[in-house]
Amino acid sequence: MAALESMPESPPEHEETLHEPKTQGTRPMPDDIRFDAIVNTVALHPKEDILAAGDIDGDIYLYSYSCNEKNRELWSSGHHLKSCRKVAFSCDGQRLFSVSKDKAIHVLDVESGRLLTRVRKAHSAAINTVLLVDENVLATGDDEGTLKVWDLRKGTSFMDVKEHEDYISDIAVDQAKRILLTSSGDGTLGVFNIKRRRFELYSEYQGGDLTSLSIMKQGQKVISGSSQGTVYIFNWNGFGAPSDRFAVQAESVDCMVPITDSLLCTASMDGVIRVINILPNRVMGSIGQHVGEPVEEIACSHDKHFLTSCAHDQLVKFWDISSLQDIQVSDYRRRKKKDSRLKSMNNKAFGAGDDFFSGLLDATDEKAEQMEEESSGDSDSD
């Protein structure tokens, strides 16, 4: 088991960007942030207007973002030797955790950028994802399917299990901090019990990579995206097989972020960021895209006003999602006039002049509509 290393203090570097605020519709928004390399991961501070990003060169950047002032680089860190795969803030926002292709875990001080601790060779393979379970417990997954759970007080792992046959793409935890869920490139959902420190079960194979995870509907549903553009819905305590599924009509569903208990944003290899309603299952529309560039990650701001995204165009973009909180979606089968619904939603939820749903996919089209009707007999309901 690898131990944590205390790191000497180093001064942060400060540099201002030259970006100007922009607007989406009538709401002012922070400007895009351009980087010198492809950004793999982005995370937003849980309490402040601060953004962290990690790139393929292993560098990590911390920015303050603003609607009215220039975005400002607070510091950068080059301690990772290879591509930074994932960054995550602690619950109090005082520490930043990062994992890398170099197999190391780093813990950085958010205020100064100082490297506080390092776990060298934390895994035997490149680490792909990280989840802060609570202030003392960290979970990491690697390219070979190994899951480790760490006690941050001791600096060692108390779970080290290899149950997946391919990379672990995402990790989620229940509200009780007892059950860890993993999505994997082997096409299965994994269930692990932290308290008992053991593997519980797999789901059945889903026919493609499972790429992302979210827990919704007050903890009763687990949503998984896939490389085939299908969203799978599992009942809690029914992980063996999905209770429902639907096609998003996208190349893939690579990452997702819940916005409300029914709505989530997803991003894909086609660069489009979509808004999806869960039960009833419907693609509501797109909020924007990185044109022709795969999106690596999306994140939601602490006030639920903005979504950020990073893609292969070396940009971190901001999107206005403040109006999503007000969307109410009733059962599609009770609706008779599709066109009148879209007009009503555009006018009431977002304002007649708002361009939020440009390129609206309408759930998603007649083909998706037909698929939903065909599956209605054995689908979940609210």
Side-chain angles (χ1 to χ4, degrees), residues 155-180:
T156 57
S157 61
F158 61 85
M159 277 185 67
D160 184 347
V161 288
K162 186 183 185 307
E163 297 294 339
H164 287 293
E165 297 179 358
D166 208 335
Y167 69 97
I168 294 176
S169 58
D170 203 0
I171 307 173
V173 66
D174 68 330
Q175 189 173 8
K177 314 296 184 184
R178 187 175 66 90
I179 300 296
L180 277 181

Side-chain angles (χ1 to χ4, degrees), residues 51-63:
L51 173 149
D55 68 20
I56 60 170
D57 293 333
D59 296 325
I60 297 173
Y61 299 86
L62 198 78
Y63 276 83

Side-chain angles (χ1 to χ4, degrees), residues 19-33 66-69 306 316-320:
H19 302 290
E20 297 294 335
K22 62 179 181 180
T23 60
Q24 181 172 322
T26 59
R27 182 184 180 88
M29 293 195 305
D31 200 0
D32 301 341
I33 304 175
S66 173
C67 296
N68 303 311
E69 300 176 357
F306 302 112
V316 168
K317 289 177 172 285
F318 293 83
W319 311 98
D320 180 12

Side-chain angles (χ1 to χ4, degrees), residues 203-261:
S203 72
E204 63 185 21
Y205 174 62
Q206 300 305 315
D209 297 15
L210 295 186
T211 57
S212 48
L213 285 174
S214 289
I215 300 176
M216 301 181 70
K217 296 292 184 178
Q218 299 180 339
Q220 297 303 306
K221 303 292 180 181
V222 176
I223 317 301
S224 179
S226 76
S227 60
Q228 296 181 322
T230 300
V231 170
Y232 297 95
I233 303 174
F234 294 84
N235 289 327
W236 193 263
N237 293 329
F239 299 119
S243 62
D244 202 359
R245 69 191 73 192
F246 71 102
V248 177
Q249 304 298 307
E251 293 182 36
S252 58
V253 181
D254 293 327
C255 48
M256 57 176 59
V257 172
I259 306 300
T260 69
D261 206 34

Side-chain angles (χ1 to χ4, degrees), residues 246-309:
F246 71 102
V248 177
Q249 304 298 307
E251 293 182 36
S252 58
V253 181
D254 293 327
C255 48
M256 57 176 59
V257 172
I259 306 300
T260 69
D261 206 34
S262 297
L263 285 174
L264 72 160
C265 288
T266 69
S268 169
M269 286 184 63
D270 60 13
V272 179
I273 302 169
R274 295 171 172 86
V275 181
I276 295 177
N277 191 83
I278 299 298
L279 300 175
N281 303 328
R282 191 167 311 142
V283 178
M284 305 302 297
S286 61
I287 63 171
Q289 71 178 120
H290 293 255
V291 180
E293 299 289 348
V295 176
E296 290 289 343
E297 192 165 14
I298 54 178
C300 183
S301 64
H302 62 92
D303 55 11
K304 296 294 182 74
H305 287 171
F306 302 112
L307 189 82
T308 59
S309 58

